[in-house]
């Protein structure tokens, strides 16, 4: 008798789980991104991956800089100097900020003829995992776009900075970025241009942080 009751409870449990699975909507779990190594130039390592969830080609760059993580963060927050190191950016500015942990930046990006220049507005959110490691996540903030702007707004973009202290005066910087700039290009040309942009950005960033220009 005890055996039959135990088996009946198991069958009822299995039946309930099956019914629950049919009632709940199916949710797909995205696998973690796997970046493929592309090249290394001047101690800057470059990778690529396609993010199917966001529909973006993401480029990852890694570089070591002789400065502290806090100076790197202060550098990222100094938006008016962004045109000095961010690839193809003509002007960058901070629209608003909430302390040192969140700020909204706007970048005006030059595009060659016949394409119109672009504008990108992003919310930057700082998260510290420890005194020696922090992340800055970048997400599009579409509410700050103007309908009357002469620039084409970029509505799909993602970025993440990872700054890790290797010792008191050396930081490892990892930057992941991708944006849909609404220009139809062959896939290999898009990747080549994106990799070149990441390389140029990290190269100039390193030179400025190390006071070489």
């Amino acid at each position: 008798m005890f055996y039959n009751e135990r088996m009946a409870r198991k069958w009822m449990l299995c039946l309930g789980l099956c019914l629950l699975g049919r009632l709940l909507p199916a949710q797909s779990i995205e696998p973690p991104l796997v970046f493929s190594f592309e090249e290394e130039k001047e101690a800057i390592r470059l990778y690529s991956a396609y993010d199917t969830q966001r529909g973006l080609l993401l480029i990852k760059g890694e570089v070591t800089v002789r400065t502290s993580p806090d100076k790197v963060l202060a550098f990222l927050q100094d938006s008016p100097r962004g045109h000095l190191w961010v690839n193809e950016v003509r002007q960058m500015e901070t629209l608003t900020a909430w302390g040192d942990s969140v700020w909204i930046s706007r970048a005006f990006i030059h595009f060659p003829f016949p394409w119109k220049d672009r504008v990108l507005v992003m919310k930057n959110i700082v998260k510290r995992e420890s005194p020696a490691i922090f992340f800055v996540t970048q997400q599009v903030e579409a509410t700050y776009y103007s309908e009357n702007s002469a620039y084409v707004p970029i509505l799909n973009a993602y970025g993440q900075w990872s700054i890790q202290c290797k010792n008191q005066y050396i930081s490892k910087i990892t930057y992941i970025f991708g944006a849909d700039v609404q220009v139809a290009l062959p896939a290999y040309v898009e990747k080549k241009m994106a990799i070149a942009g990441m390389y140029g950005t990290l190269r100039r960033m390193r030179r400025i942080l190390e006071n070489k220009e």
Side-chain angles (χ1 to χ4, degrees), residues 162-193:
S162 169
I163 297 91
Q164 182 175 358
C165 180
K166 301 188 74 173
N167 62 45
Q168 188 176 359
Y169 302 106
I170 298 180
S171 301
K172 179 183 178 182
I173 300 173
T174 302
Y175 185 34
I176 298 171
F177 182 77
D180 179 5
V181 297
Q182 304 175 56
V183 174
L185 293 172
Y188 75 94
V189 175
E190 179 186 3
K191 181 188 289 189
K192 185 175 182 179
M193 293 177 63

Side-chain angles (χ1 to χ4, degrees), residues 133-147:
I133 303 175
F134 63 83
F135 298 91
V136 179
T137 302
Q138 299 175 308
Q139 303 169 344
V140 171
E141 191 67 20
T143 56
Y144 283 79
Y145 285 125
S146 172
E147 294 182 0

Side-chain angles (χ1 to χ4, degrees), residues 22-146:
R22 291 193 176 191
L23 291 173
L24 293 176
Q27 296 182 351
S28 60
I29 300 175
E30 289 288 332
L33 286 175
V34 178
F35 283 86
S36 301
F37 175 73
E38 296 291 343
E39 59 181 300
E40 180 175 352
K41 295 193 295 184
E42 299 183 50
I44 298 173
R45 295 177 63 85
L46 300 159
Y47 306 80
S48 70
Y50 189 78
D51 187 338
T52 56
Q53 186 175 11
R54 295 186 175 90
L56 291 174
L57 169 67
L58 298 180
I59 304 298
K60 179 172 75 172
E62 297 176 343
V63 66
T64 299
V65 179
R66 288 190 292 272
T67 192
S68 68
D70 287 331
K71 289 185 178 179
V72 176
L73 178 59
F75 185 79
L76 296 178
Q77 293 171 326
D78 190 5
S79 298
R81 297 182 67 199
H83 70 282
L84 299 176
W85 57 277
V86 183
N87 195 60
E88 301 298 339
V89 167
R90 283 184 167 177
Q91 179 186 348
M92 187 181 291
E93 58 190 355
T94 298
L95 298 179
T96 188
W98 295 269
D100 295 330
S101 59
V102 180
W103 74 96
I104 293 177
S105 59
R106 178 168 60 188
F108 298 95
I109 307 165
H110 171 66
F111 268 66
F113 181 83
W115 296 295
K116 295 178 65 176
D117 289 349
R118 266 53 175 172
V119 60
L120 176 61
V121 180
M122 302 198 83
K123 177 182 282 188
N124 304 266
I125 305 170
V126 180
K127 178 183 178 183
R128 286 187 178 269
E129 295 217 337
S130 71
I133 303 175
F134 63 83
F135 298 91
V136 179
T137 302
Q138 299 175 308
Q139 303 169 344
V140 171
E141 191 67 20
T143 56
Y144 283 79
Y145 285 125
S146 172

